[in-house]
Amino acid sequence: MSWRVWLPLFLFAGFLGLAAYQLTQPKDDFVESGMIGEALPYFDLPPATEGASGAATTDFKDGTPRLLNIWASWCLPCIAEAPQLERLKEAGVPIVGIAIRDRPEDVARFLAQHGNPYTRIARDDLSEVQLAIGSSGVPETFVIDGRGIIRYQHLGDIRESDVPTLLAELEKAR
Amino acid sequence: MIAELGHAALWFAAALAALQMVAGFLAVRAGEGSEIARLVRPSAVVQAALASIAFAMLLWLFAITDLSVKLVAANSHSLKPLVFKLSGAWGNHEGSMLLWVTVMSLSGGLIALAEKRLPERTMQATLAAQGLVSLGFYAFLILSSNPFERLPVPAPEGLGLNPLLQDLGLAFHPPTLYMGYVGLSVAFSFAVGALLTRQVTPDFASAMRPWVLGAWVFLTLGIVAGSYWAYYELGWGGYWFWDPVENASLMPWLAATALLHSTSVLASRDALRVWTIMLGVVAFSMSMVGTFLVRSGILTSVHAFAVDPERGSFILVLLGLFIGGALLLFALRASTINEGQRFTATSREGALVFNNVMLSAILAIVLLGTLYPLLTEAFDVRVSVGPPYFNPVSAIFAVPMLVVMAVGPLLRWRQDRLERIRPELALFAALVLVSLIFFGLVTGVAILPLLGLALGIGLGVASFLPLRGRNLKRVPLATWGMIVAHFGIAVALIGMASESAFSKERLAAVEAGQSTQVGPWVVTLSEVMPVAGPNWTAIEGRLSASYDGGEPVMLTPQARRFWAPPQETTESALSTRWNGQLYAVIGDRTPDGRWQLRLWWKPLVTLIWYGGLLVALGGALALVGRVIADFRRRRIARRIVERRAETEAIA
C-alpha cells in the first residue's frame, strides 16, 4: 500500500514534465507550400475587376521575376500590407494579384481606397490557383522567377521589415 | 460600459473566490464553531451571482455586436443570425473559459446553499477547494484570456464565426461538455474536502453522487451531440475518429463512469473509500488534461482551436497545482483511510470493482494513445495513433466488461453464488452464442463487429433481467435509471457494430438524370442548382432516392461556400428509415460535366445516438430518483425533530 499511493503522483509528474518540455519546444504553425522550387501550375484566370487584365501561367515566363500576391478585398491584413506593396511597386517590382473569392465591385472599391500596386489582377473564385500553388490563407506572397518557377513564399501580411527580404529574394531569382 | 461592467464583475468574483478559499481553509484549521467559517457559504453564493453578471454582459456585447470589443470583432459579424451571435459568445477560447467559470461558480453557490448532509468542517474544506479551483480559472481568464478587452480602434466589421460552427447542434455541444467538466470539478472538491478532514463516509458519497451523475449525463449528451455533429456536418460518413479532442471528452466520461459506480458502492455499502477518492481526482484531472491538450496546441487535431503556448503553460501550471496537490494529499492521507467494508468476488461490489478496473484500463489505453505522439515527438518521431490501435486494444477490456455488466446487476451485495442466477446466466450465454453463430457463419462479419453484435444483443436482454420477480411499481427510479442506461449501452453497441459490419459505400460520377445504386437504394440525380443562404452560397444536388423500389424521397446535399471567413463545407443529406440511414454528399464537378456523389447506406447507424441518449436518460432518471429520495429523507428527518419537540413540550 505504502508505495502504491505515490504511484499516481509520480505518473502525473512524468506527464507534467513531458508536457512542459513539449511546450518549450518551438512549434511551427505555418503551413508552408510544398511547391517551392516547382513550376507554377497551369492556370488562366479572368480579370477581377473592370479595366484590369487577367493572369495566366504564360505571363510569368518572360524572364522577369515577379511577385504573386494572393489577397482579397474582404481580408483585413491585406489592407495592412497595401502600403508595403505600394513601396515594392515603386521599387519597380511587377506584382500580379490574385483576388480570392471576391466580387468585382468590392475589388474596385478596395483598389480605389488602398491603391493599386498590381500590373494584373485575376479572380480565383474557387481558390483553385491558391490551392494549386500551396497557399493556405490570405494574404500570401510568392516570388516567381523569370521561368515561372516558384522560388519563395511569404506567409501573412508583408510588414515593413519584410520588404528588403522580398527585394533580396527577387534579386536572387533574377 | 457593458464590457467594463463585466470586467469589474469578474475581478470581484475572483476576490470572493480568494476569500472563500482562505476563509474555508482557516475554518478547517480552527475546527468546529469558528467565526470565520460563517464567511464561506455567503462568499460562494455572491461569487456565483457576480460571475453570472459577467457572462450576461458578454452575451449582451455579442447580441449588439459591439465591435470595439476585441473578442466580438474577432468572432462575430453583424450579418449573423442572432442565435449564432449569442453562441459566438462561447464559441471561442475566452468566452468558453468565462462560461466555464460561470457554471463552476453557480455549482459552488448551489452547494453552499443546499448541501447540509456533510459535517460542517468537511463542507468548508470542500468549498475551500472549490474556491481554489475557481481562483485558478479566474486568474487564467483575467491575466491571459480577458474576454472584455477593448480594441484601440473599433473594427469596421467582425471577422465572422467559423462557418462549420454555425450549426444549432454545435452551439450547444461545448456548453454541454463544460457542464460535465464542471460537475467533475465539484466532485473533485468533495474528494479533496473529504481527504482534508479524513471523513470518507457514505454521506460523503451521497452528497457527491448527484454531481457525478449530473456531470456524467452532460458528458454523455455532449459526446453524443458532438459525435452526431461530426457525422452529418463533416461529411466523412464517420461518427468517431479517435481524434485527440474527442478523446479529451471520452477520457473524463470513462473516469466519471467508473467514479459513478464506485460512488454508488460507497454510498450504499461503505466500501471502496480510497478508490472512490482516487477516481474523483482522476476524473477531474482528465477534464483538465483534455483542456490542456486541446488549448495548448501541443497535439495536432482536426479541431483547430485558437491554440496558444502561453495559455497552455498557464493551464499546465493550474493542472500541476490542482492535480499534483490533490495527488500529494492523496498519497499522504490514503494510508490513514480505512478501506471500508469487505466483500467477496461474486457479489455486486465484486462485479462493480471488476468493471471499474476495466474502465480504468480503457481509460489508460485511450490516454496512452492520445499522449503517445507527444512522447515520440520528444524524440523527433512524428506518429499519429488511430483506430487500428484504439479499436482492438480497447476491445480487449471492453468485452469482459460487457459480460460482467450483463451479470453484475443480477448479483446481491456483499456475497452471492452464481448458481442462484443460473437461468439468467444461461439465457445471456445462449443469446450471445446464437448471435455469434448466426452472424459469424451465416453473414460472415469481422471479429470486432461480430463480438459487438452478439454482446449487444445479449446485454440488451440481460439489462432488463434485474426486474424479474419484482413488483414493477415498487422498483426505485434509480434502478430504472440503471436499467435504461445499461440498455442504452447495448443499443449503441449494436448500432456501432452494425455500422461497421453492414455499411455499403458508393462513390460515383453521374450526370443529371442518371442513377446509381447503394445497398437497397436506387439514387437518381435529378438536377444540380445554385442556392444562397444569409452568408453563404452553395451548389445543391437534388437527389431522389428510392428504397427497395418504394416511394422516392428527396435529398439535397450541398457544397457550401462561406465568405466571412472564406471556407468550404459539405452539407450532407440524410434519409433516415427505421432500419438505417442513407447518407449523401455532393462533391466536385468532373471535367466532363458529371457530378461526384458519395453515398453510404448505414444499417441501424442511428442506434448509436439513440443508445447514447438512452444512457443519458438513464443517468437523468437516476439523478431525479436520488434527489427525490434525498428530499423525502430530509422531510422525514425534519418531522422526527418536530415530533420530538412536541413530545418534550407536552411532557
Side-chain angles (χ1 to χ4, degrees):
Chain A
M1 190 68 188
S2 57
W3 65 270
R4 271 182 293 169
V5 293
W6 291 94
L7 196 63
L9 186 62
F10 289 138
L11 284 175
F12 180 70
F15 163 77
L16 275 189
L18 179 66
Y21 169 74
Q22 284 293 355
L23 270 182
T24 57
Q25 294 306 103
K27 186 95 185 171
D28 197 1
D29 287 331
F30 293 104
V31 184
E32 272 163 38
S33 172
M35 293 292 289
I36 308 296
E38 306 280 325
L40 268 181
Y42 173 79
F43 63 86
D44 189 1
L45 293 173
T49 183
E50 259 178 67
S53 28
T57 315
T58 44
D59 301 332
F60 291 87
K61 296 190 175 166
D62 63 352
T64 325
R66 283 180 168 76
L67 286 182
L68 176 62
N69 181 233
I70 305 275
W71 68 289
S73 70
W74 43 259
C75 136
L76 292 180
C78 298
I79 301 176
E81 73 171 4
Q84 280 68 254
L85 285 176
E86 203 61 42
R87 277 184 49 201
L88 284 162
K89 175 193 169 191
E90 281 159 17
V93 178
I95 307 173
V96 177
I98 294 188
I100 305 298
R101 290 157 193 260
D102 228 324
R103 285 184 289 230
E105 61 272 24
D106 293 342
V107 170
R109 197 177 315 126
F110 183 95
L111 298 179
Q113 266 177 20
H114 306 289
N116 180 358
Y118 303 109
T119 54
R120 293 167 176 277
I121 314 173
R123 60 188 286 180
D124 183 6
D125 289 351
L126 300 175
S127 294
E128 283 170 300
V129 175
Q130 185 190 17
L131 293 177
I133 63 176
S135 152
S136 60
V138 275
E140 284 190 19
T141 307
F142 292 84
V143 173
I144 316 288
D145 73 8
R147 291 175 299 132
I149 310 288
I150 306 171
R151 299 291 288 266
Y152 178 78
Q153 177 192 26
H154 178 85
L155 291 140
D157 55 323
I158 301 170
R159 310 267 165 94
E160 280 187 33
S161 53
D162 299 322
V163 174
T165 322
L166 282 171
L167 286 173
E169 287 293 336
L170 282 161
E171 198 53 44
K172 269 203 284 182
R174 198 168 286 281
Chain B
M1 189 60 209
I2 308 169
E4 283 67 28
L5 210 58
H7 197 181
L10 209 53
W11 272 100
F12 279 120
L16 279 168
L19 177 65
Q20 179 184 334
M21 175 186 80
V22 174
F25 283 128
L26 287 179
V28 172
R29 280 193 55 173
E32 293 295 327
S34 64
E35 283 286 304
I36 198 158
R38 291 211 302 243
L39 283 173
V40 182
R41 288 190 193 243
S43 50
V45 175
V46 179
Q47 183 206 324
L50 285 167
S52 313
I53 290 174
F55 189 66
M57 293 302 124
L58 188 69
L59 282 179
W60 191 353
L61 289 172
F62 270 86
I64 60 173
T65 320
D66 184 343
L67 293 168
S68 68
V69 174
K70 192 173 161 193
L71 192 67
V72 179
N75 293 288
S76 199
H77 197 285
S78 57
L79 294 179
K80 234 161 42 170
L82 181 67
V83 58
F84 294 121
K85 278 186 187 169
L86 289 179
S87 71
W90 61 78
N92 56 72
H93 169 78
E94 288 84 352
S96 65
M97 291 319 285
L98 180 58
L99 176 65
W100 171 304
V101 297
T102 306
V103 181
M104 190 142 114
S105 47
L106 282 174
S107 319
L110 188 59
I111 314 173
L113 277 180
E115 187 52 63
K116 304 268 160 70
R117 251 172 300 197
L118 294 181
E120 198 51 29
R121 226 175 127 241
T122 307
M123 263 328 283
Q124 261 126 29
T126 302
L127 285 170
Q130 181 79 5
L132 171 67
V133 175
S134 303
L135 187 63
F137 280 101
Y138 283 121
F140 179 48
L141 202 57
I142 294 173
L143 300 179
S144 90
S145 329
N146 179 11
F148 297 108
E149 193 180 334
R150 294 267 189 191
L151 288 171
V153 184
E157 185 49 281
L159 291 178
L161 177 74
N162 189 332
L164 277 174
L165 305 185
Q166 287 197 23
D167 179 277
L168 264 190
L170 198 73
F172 295 98
H173 159 65
T176 317
L177 280 176
Y178 274 17
M179 305 258 183
Y181 288 167
V182 170
L184 292 181
S185 87
V186 176
F188 171 81
S189 302
F190 272 114
V192 171
L195 262 182
L196 278 173
T197 57
R198 293 193 182 85
Q199 274 165 333
V200 188
T201 57
D203 269 346
F204 147 77
S206 325
M208 184 168 83
R209 179 158 57 186
W211 294 96
V212 180
L213 262 173
W216 185 75
V217 168
F218 277 116
L219 282 177
T220 310
L221 284 175
I223 293 173
V224 170
S227 152
Y228 193 68
W229 171 79
Y231 171 76
Y232 80 79
E233 184 78 6
L234 295 182
W236 302 338
Y239 60 91
W240 193 261
F241 305 98
W242 295 108
D243 174 87
V245 173
E246 292 174 333
N247 294 347
S249 69
L250 181 65
M251 291 187 292
W253 186 85
L254 290 167
T257 313
L259 175 61
L260 176 63
H261 289 91
S262 83
T263 310
S264 283
V265 175
L266 180 55
S268 47
R269 294 288 314 150
D270 196 12
L272 299 183
R273 293 179 183 164
V274 176
W275 182 240
T276 305
I277 293 283
M278 184 69 227
L279 282 176
V281 175
V282 167
F284 180 55
S285 67
M286 282 305 131
S287 51
M288 283 214 49
V289 166
T291 312
F292 166 71
L293 290 180
V294 304
R295 303 278 156 162
S296 64
I298 60 173
L299 287 177
T300 315
S301 153
V302 293
H303 293 66
F305 281 98
V307 295
D308 183 338
E310 188 204 324
R311 286 175 187 161
S313 326
F314 212 119
I315 302 180
L316 194 65
V317 170
L318 289 183
L319 185 67
L321 205 65
F322 298 160
I323 308 304
L327 289 175
L328 181 67
L329 187 64
F330 175 81
L332 293 173
R333 289 284 163 92
S335 48
T336 68
I337 292 165
N338 193 312
E339 241 319 312
Q341 301 289 324
R342 298 278 153 180
F343 48 85
T344 60
T346 46
S347 65
R348 182 86 65 88
E349 295 99 313
L352 282 165
V353 167
F354 181 84
N355 273 4
N356 250 293
V357 173
M358 292 298 117
L359 279 168
S360 310
I362 297 174
L363 172 62
I365 282 160
V366 177
L367 184 63
L368 183 68
T370 312
L371 293 182
Y372 191 69
L374 196 65
L375 193 65
T376 60
E377 263 179 46
F379 304 99
D380 267 340
V381 182
R382 282 192 170 236
V383 293
S384 117
V385 184
Y389 160 78
F390 287 109
N391 288 341
V393 181
S394 50
I396 293 175
F397 297 97
V399 169
M401 183 182 81
L402 290 163
V403 173
V404 173
M405 207 174 133
V407 178
L410 301 167
L411 291 169
R412 288 188 181 139
W413 291 109
R414 210 160 68 84
Q415 195 175 1
D416 202 354
R417 289 167 304 116
L418 285 177
E419 292 86 69
R420 195 181 61 79
I421 51 165
R422 194 178 281 160
E424 287 93 339
L425 285 181
L427 176 64
F428 174 68
L431 278 170
V432 172
L433 270 179
V434 169
S435 327
L436 277 178
I437 292 166
F438 176 75
F439 291 112
L441 297 182
V442 180
T443 52
V445 175
I447 179 77
L448 282 184
L450 177 64
L451 284 170
L453 281 171
L455 286 170
I457 291 168
L459 179 62
V461 174
S463 48
F464 288 99
L465 292 180
L467 291 175
R468 204 179 74 117
R470 292 178 78 162
N471 180 349
L472 290 190
K473 283 188 191 146
R474 306 197 60 175
V475 173
L477 207 50
T479 308
W480 279 112
M482 172 196 79
I483 288 167
V484 171
H486 283 186
F487 179 66
I489 296 280
V491 169
L493 188 64
I494 293 173
M496 293 176 209
S498 165
E499 196 266 348
S500 97
F502 306 122
S503 278
K504 297 267 188 300
E505 184 183 353
R506 163 86 67 175
L507 184 62
V510 290
E511 278 171 41
Q514 274 183 337
S515 296
T516 181
Q517 202 170 5
V518 55
W521 292 86
V522 176
V523 180
T524 312
L525 178 66
S526 323
E527 56 182 344
V528 175
M529 299 285 283
V531 287
N535 52 358
W536 47 266
T537 56
I539 51 151
E540 180 177 282
R542 307 259 163 95
L543 306 177
S544 85
S546 133
Y547 181 84
D548 218 2
E551 194 65 24
V553 286
M554 285 295 292
L555 275 90
T556 51
Q558 296 176 342
R560 281 192 193 170
R561 300 210 171 84
F562 288 79
W563 57 71
Q567 187 161 355
E568 280 185 46
T569 69
T570 54
E571 296 289 307
S572 58
L574 299 172
S575 171
T576 310
R577 285 173 54 87
W578 68 270
N579 62 345
Q581 262 180 343
L582 177 69
Y583 186 112
V585 175
I586 189 158
D588 289 334
R589 194 182 184 140
T590 56
D592 57 356
R594 295 183 299 168
W595 294 90
Q596 283 178 356
L597 281 185
R598 192 158 196 174
L599 304 165
W600 282 273
W601 164 237
K602 293 170 174 289
L604 300 185
V605 67
T606 42
L607 291 188
I608 298 173
W609 304 289
Y610 285 133
L613 289 179
L614 279 174
V615 174
L617 174 68
L621 283 178
L623 178 60
V624 171
R626 297 290 179 202
V627 171
I628 289 176
D630 180 45
F631 274 123
R632 197 173 295 153
R633 197 186 50 78
R634 281 188 202 200
R635 207 171 48 224
I636 293 171
R638 207 165 42 231
R639 216 169 281 166
I640 291 173
V641 172
E642 281 168 14
R643 194 75 51 84
R644 199 168 292 159
E646 272 170 32
T647 359
E648 272 170 22
I650 293 167

